[in-house]
């Protein structure tokens, strides 16, 4: 191994280490905050649920015309368990539980996203490509 190869190896390891620490710090910043599940249909907020304060299991349907999505909320997580869309990508997404995660059902125009306390308090003018 040449000297240049060793330097390159050290630089790659350092970049990976810094990226890992940054990701961990970001997740840690949102870990203890209230997690709010926001359910939108056709771009309009249909329901908001505070996942941090919900006890037990809640199951409900979001209906839009002839289409439906069945959503289940339990133990700080949320999922779409049934839908009449043709591809079922929303069901295959599974459970989400962290701020920033989302489930999207394009055919039924339903979006389920989790927002932390910090992201809920930001206005669109506070968010840009670097901070979002």
């Amino acid at each position: 191994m040449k000297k240049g190869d060793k330097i390159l190896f050290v630089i790659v390891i350092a970049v990976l280490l810094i990226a890992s620490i940054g990701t961990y710090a970001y997740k840690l910043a949102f870990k203890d905050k209230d997690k709010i599940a926001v359910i939108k249909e056709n771009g309009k907020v249909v329901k908001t649920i505070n996942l941090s304060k919900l006890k037990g299991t809640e199951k409900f349907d979001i209906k839009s015309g002839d289409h439906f999505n069945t959503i289940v909320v339990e133990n700080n997580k949320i999922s779409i368990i049934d839908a009449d869309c043709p591809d079922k990508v929303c069901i295959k997404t599974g459970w989400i539980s962290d701020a920033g995660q989302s489930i999207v059902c394009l055919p039924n125009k339903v979006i389920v996203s989790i927002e932390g306390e910090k992201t809920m308090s930001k206005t669109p003018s506070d968010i840009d490509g670097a901070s979002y």
Side-chain angles (χ1 to χ4, degrees):
M1 206 183 232
K2 295 181 181 178
K3 185 177 180 180
D5 292 340
K6 290 180 183 179
I7 292 172
L8 181 63
F9 180 74
V10 169
I11 290 173
V12 168
I13 295 297
V15 167
L16 289 174
L17 185 63
I18 290 170
S20 298
I21 291 170
T23 303
Y24 177 74
Y26 175 77
K27 290 208 177 254
L28 189 63
F30 285 106
K31 190 170 185 112
D32 295 326
K33 305 295 180 194
D34 283 345
K35 292 187 257 182
I36 311 293
V38 179
I39 301 163
K40 296 179 184 176
E41 177 189 11
N42 288 324
K44 298 176 185 169
V45 175
V46 177
K47 190 168 189 169
T48 57
I49 302 167
N50 190 335
L51 297 177
S52 303
K53 295 181 180 175
L54 181 74
K55 302 295 180 201
T57 301
E58 185 176 337
K59 181 178 177 180
F60 54 92
D61 289 333
I62 302 294
K63 295 181 182 177
S64 174
D66 295 336
H67 301 290
F68 73 92
N69 291 77
T70 303
I71 298 174
V72 174
V73 184
E74 65 179 36
N75 300 331
N76 293 326
K77 58 186 180 179
I78 187 166
S79 179
I80 295 179
I81 61 166
D82 193 19
D84 62 348
C85 57
D87 55 7
K88 309 282 190 218
V89 172
C90 54
I91 298 170
K92 293 174 188 171
T93 301
W95 294 96
I96 59 172
S97 59
D98 293 325
Q101 291 182 318
S102 62
I103 302 172
V104 178
C105 184
L106 285 178
N108 296 350
K109 299 177 184 169
V110 173
I111 300 172
V112 179
S113 59
I114 299 179
E115 299 178 356
E117 186 177 272
K118 287 185 178 179
T119 57
M120 287 292 288
S121 65
K122 288 189 175 182
T123 61
S125 63
D126 292 338
I127 300 173
D128 63 5
S131 66
Y132 186 65

